[in-house]
């Protein structure tokens, strides 16, 4: 950068033309620049601007810089040693690169406190060097707090205590100046329901969610859903007054009135391209979050997202390990214990044949004992095979829902010649395996009931998903004999099992007959778990 005093850095990437000092001047020069309402532009801008001599002492400062350094006026700093190191060249001999390089200095403001200043060394003028600087104390302290939490979050998440992590983070955010209360709200792993996983500032945290959803049912628009859908941070000014003036928010009026707050900041928790929750911050009255604080909220939300993601991945790994262990146990049972029990049965039959050659009453006793052992071995084999089958992963878990249902349809078609039309929504294959298994079993039980009791010629099977609200709908429609002919199944184990599976996912099951008295319609709606964090849009 030129050092003729014509262009000095006022802020990063910004230059202003200023008056050069007189060539013969021996008096320390202070830049005057153009005047704005009686003040120089240097004094009018919010960033600190100073001139320091070769020894690093203040020659002059603007008003913003004096305030930043805790001085009563600009003259108070004259001749005082500055925190700026103008001798070191952190980037080498390149003057322009050196001017653009940002350094950090510390200024003692008394009471064992200090101001952290980020500064840039500008051009040389008569009397010293021009320095532009800004206060980054809060920003750096907040970064340090985020880093400290980040160091513990991974360890806490590895212990599967995400709620503990988020509770600690909520408390940390609530300690920030101007913050009245904080909440971390996440999506429950087994449903679309929201849950408060960390909070600070409000009392009776456990009642908040029910009151929130009661307001939502009355028509209140939830910032949580809006921010999760948009994937961006939103500031809601005067939120408390707006809520208290809206009758839709009546269930929450008393709750939100327990503390003093005004603005509301909602920041999404994003993992692998998916919103998994939000960080809600309630700002104290007349305190408006600046960009530094909004960046801090974003950083805390990022750390919370990492903790959630890490815990989710660990849980999925645990599930995978348990699944492999079940498969290994099933294989060992089949290859060793089942075969040995089978051998016991064979030995019992051999003993029975040998006992027939023995004299009475010994032959009768041997035959009775051998028959009992053989019968017992068959019962144990049957039980063991049931255990082995239960330990094996389900077909839907191994193949995915679409492939498993397609295989089921092909088997039924080959066996019965019934024409089955199958349609499965593509997004379902990657969802939770427990959920997929229940959907599969509802379809399977419905098809077997239709084949067994209604003798249809065609069946239409549809499994689809909707996003607003997020629901999975299952429809099985046949043209068979109708519900009357299948009445024996209405209160049977099969229908009870279907209702239980649908009920696990906050759903409903309906079985109806067409108006003509023929054909049966089985419809089920289930609330699926949210997509896994590693499933991108």
């Amino acid at each position: 950068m030129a050092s003729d005093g014509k262009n000095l850095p006022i802020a990063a990437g910004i230059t202003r033309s200023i008056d050069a000092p007189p060539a013969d001047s021996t008096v320390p020069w202070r830049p005057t620049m153009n005047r704005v309402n009686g003040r120089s532009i240097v004094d009018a801008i919010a960033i600190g601007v100073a001139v320091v001599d070769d020894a690093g002492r203040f020659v002059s400062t603007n008003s913003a810089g004096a305030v930043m350094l805790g001085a009563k006026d600009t003259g108070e700093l004259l001749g005082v040693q500055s925190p700026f190191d103008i001798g070191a060249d952190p980037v080498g001999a390149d003057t322009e690169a050196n001017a653009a390089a940002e350094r950090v200095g510390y200024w003692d403001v008394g009471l064992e406190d200090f101001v952290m200043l980020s500064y840039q060394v500008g051009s040389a003028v008569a009397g010293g060097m021009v320095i532009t600087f800004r206060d980054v104390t809060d920003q750096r302290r907040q970064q340090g707090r985020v880093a400290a939490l980040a160091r513990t979050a991974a360890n806490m998440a590895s212990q599967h205590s995400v709620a503990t992590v988020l509770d600690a983070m909520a408390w940390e955010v609530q300690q920030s100046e101007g913050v009245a209360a904080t909440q971390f709200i996440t999506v429950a792993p087994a449903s679309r329901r929201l849950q408060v996983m960390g909070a600070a500032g409000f009392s009776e945290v456990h009642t908040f969610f029910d009151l929130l959803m009661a307001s939502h049912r009355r028509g209140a628009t939830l910032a949580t859903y809006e921010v999760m859908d948009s994937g961006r941070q939103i500031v809601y000014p005067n939120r408390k007054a707006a809520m208290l003036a809206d009758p839709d928010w009546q269930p929450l009026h008393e709750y939100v009135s327990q503390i003093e707050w005004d603005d509301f900041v909602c920041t999404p928790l994003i993992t692998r391209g998916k919103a998994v929750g939000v960080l809600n911050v309630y700002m104290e009255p007349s305190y408006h979050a600046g960009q530094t604080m909004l960046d801090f909220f974003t950083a805390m939300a990022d750390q919370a997202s990492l903790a959630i993601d890490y815990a989710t991945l660990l849980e999925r790994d645990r599930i995978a390990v348990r699944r492999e262990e079940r498969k290994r146990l099933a294989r060992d049972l089949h290859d060793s214990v089942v075969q040995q029990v089978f051998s016991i049965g064979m030995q019992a039959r051999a003993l029975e044949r040998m006992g027939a050659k023995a004299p009475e009453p010994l032959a009768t006793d041997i035959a009775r004992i051998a028959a009992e052992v053989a019968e017992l071995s068959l019962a144990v084999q049957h039980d063991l095979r049931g255990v082995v089958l239960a330990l094996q992963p389900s077909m839907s878990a191994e193949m995915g829902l679409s492939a498993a249902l397609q295989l089921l349809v092909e088997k039924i078609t080959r066996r019965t010649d019934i024409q089955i039309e199958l349609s499965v929504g593509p997004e379902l294959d990657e969802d939770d395996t427990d959920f997929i298994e229940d959907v599969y079993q509802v379809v399977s039980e419905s098809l077997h009931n239709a084949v067994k009791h209604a003798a249809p010629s065609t069946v239409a099977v549809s499994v689809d998903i909707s996003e607003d609200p997020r629901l999975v709908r299952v429809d099985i429609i046949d043209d068979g004999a109708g519900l009357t002919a299948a009445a024996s199944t209405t209160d049977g184990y099969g229908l009870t099992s279907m209702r239980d599976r649908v009920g696990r996912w906050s759903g409903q099951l309906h079985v109806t007959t067409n108006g003509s008295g023929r054909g049966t319609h089985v419809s089920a709606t289930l609330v699926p778990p949210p997509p896994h964090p590693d499933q991108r849009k």
Side-chain angles (χ1 to χ4, degrees), residues 257-269:
S257 297
Q258 63 182 267
I259 62 172
E260 294 298 322
W261 65 282
D262 189 9
D263 292 356
F264 178 75
V265 182
C266 190
T267 306
L269 310 180

Side-chain angles (χ1 to χ4, degrees), residues 19-156:
D19 298 330
D24 58 351
S25 175
T26 59
V27 179
W29 172 81
R30 175 172 181 171
T32 59
M33 301 186 66
N34 299 322
R35 311 294 294 181
V36 177
N37 294 330
R39 301 170 60 199
S40 73
I41 294 179
V42 170
D43 277 336
I45 63 176
I47 198 168
V49 181
V51 175
V52 300
D53 61 21
D54 293 342
R57 294 185 296 267
F58 283 110
V59 175
S60 64
T61 61
N62 68 341
S63 298
V67 171
M68 212 176 294
L69 298 172
K72 297 178 181 178
D73 54 54
T74 57
E76 185 179 336
L77 296 170
L78 188 63
V80 176
Q81 187 67 38
S82 78
F84 311 125
D85 184 2
I86 62 173
D89 183 355
V91 293
D94 187 335
T95 304
E96 291 194 16
N98 186 28
E102 199 164 34
R103 316 177 195 179
V104 175
Y106 299 87
W107 178 255
D108 187 359
V109 293
L111 300 177
E112 299 183 352
D113 199 5
F114 63 88
V115 174
M116 193 179 304
L117 302 170
S118 176
Y119 68 95
Q120 292 176 280
V121 179
S123 300
V125 296
M129 300 287 293
V130 174
I131 307 292
T132 58
F133 58 97
R134 57 193 176 90
D135 186 347
V136 295
T137 309
D138 288 343
Q139 180 181 352
R140 294 299 178 92
R141 284 175 176 169
Q142 287 173 348
Q143 288 173 350
R145 289 157 62 190
V146 173
L149 279 171
R151 285 192 292 270
T152 60
N155 180 56
M156 296 171 76

Side-chain angles (χ1 to χ4, degrees), residues 103-404:
R103 316 177 195 179
V104 175
Y106 299 87
W107 178 255
D108 187 359
V109 293
L111 300 177
E112 299 183 352
D113 199 5
F114 63 88
V115 174
M116 193 179 304
L117 302 170
S118 176
Y119 68 95
Q120 292 176 280
V121 179
S123 300
V125 296
M129 300 287 293
V130 174
I131 307 292
T132 58
F133 58 97
R134 57 193 176 90
D135 186 347
V136 295
T137 309
D138 288 343
Q139 180 181 352
R140 294 299 178 92
R141 284 175 176 169
Q142 287 173 348
Q143 288 173 350
R145 289 157 62 190
V146 173
L149 279 171
R151 285 192 292 270
T152 60
N155 180 56
M156 296 171 76
S158 69
Q159 300 172 17
H160 205 56
S161 55
V162 178
T164 305
V165 175
L166 298 188
D167 218 37
M169 287 187 170
W171 183 89
E172 188 69 28
V173 174
Q174 203 250 344
Q175 303 311 301
S176 301
E177 182 181 0
V179 174
T182 309
Q183 296 166 332
F184 280 100
I185 296 180
T186 64
V187 179
S191 71
R192 184 61 174 168
R193 283 174 58 89
L194 302 176
Q195 56 186 356
V196 179
M197 291 288 283
F202 284 112
S203 61
E204 299 181 359
V205 176
H206 64 282
T207 65
F208 173 79
F209 178 78
D210 290 337
L211 298 174
L212 178 70
M213 298 314 295
S215 300
H216 184 49
R217 287 191 294 270
R218 291 167 65 101
T221 300
L222 301 190
T224 298
Y225 286 141
E226 184 176 5
V227 168
M228 288 180 64
D229 291 340
S230 68
R232 60 186 179 88
Q233 183 183 65
I234 300 179
V235 178
Y236 297 85
N238 306 314
R239 178 72 166 180
K240 181 180 181 181
M243 291 176 67
L244 293 179
D246 187 346
D248 289 342
W249 285 105
Q250 191 277 330
L252 262 175
H253 282 177
E254 183 177 351
Y255 190 95
V256 299
S257 297
Q258 63 182 267
I259 62 172
E260 294 298 322
W261 65 282
D262 189 9
D263 292 356
F264 178 75
V265 182
C266 190
T267 306
L269 310 180
I270 306 293
T271 63
R272 303 172 186 263
K274 290 286 187 180
V276 296
V278 294
L279 163 60
N280 290 335
V281 178
Y282 301 77
M283 305 301 300
E284 293 178 352
S286 303
Y287 197 101
H288 305 288
Q291 190 57 51
T292 298
M293 180 162 280
L294 294 178
D295 290 342
F296 172 62
F297 297 159
T298 299
M300 294 297 281
D302 289 343
Q303 292 301 324
S305 300
L306 288 174
I308 293 171
D309 186 37
Y310 187 36
T312 301
L313 291 176
L314 284 176
E315 179 60 20
R316 294 184 68 188
D317 285 344
R318 292 187 184 102
I319 291 173
V321 168
R322 287 197 295 266
R323 184 181 297 122
E324 289 302 315
E325 181 63 19
R326 286 163 63 95
K327 289 171 65 175
R328 185 195 63 78
L329 182 58
R331 185 171 56 250
D332 290 347
L333 283 174
H334 180 270
D335 294 344
S336 58
V337 181
V338 173
Q339 299 304 321
Q340 291 175 21
V341 173
F342 177 77
S343 298
I344 291 174
M346 296 296 293
Q347 293 292 337
R349 297 302 181 192
L351 178 62
E352 187 177 12
R353 290 193 296 271
M354 293 174 60
K357 301 177 182 179
E360 292 293 350
L362 184 58
T364 301
D365 292 339
I366 292 176
R368 177 178 53 79
I369 294 172
E372 290 177 355
V373 171
E375 184 178 352
L376 182 60
S377 69
L378 286 175
V380 173
Q381 282 186 69
H382 181 270
D383 290 345
L384 282 174
R385 292 188 190 279
V387 172
V388 169
L389 184 61
L391 287 171
Q392 291 286 0
S394 67
M395 188 183 302
S396 62
E398 289 287 280
M399 303 176 62
L401 182 63
S402 295

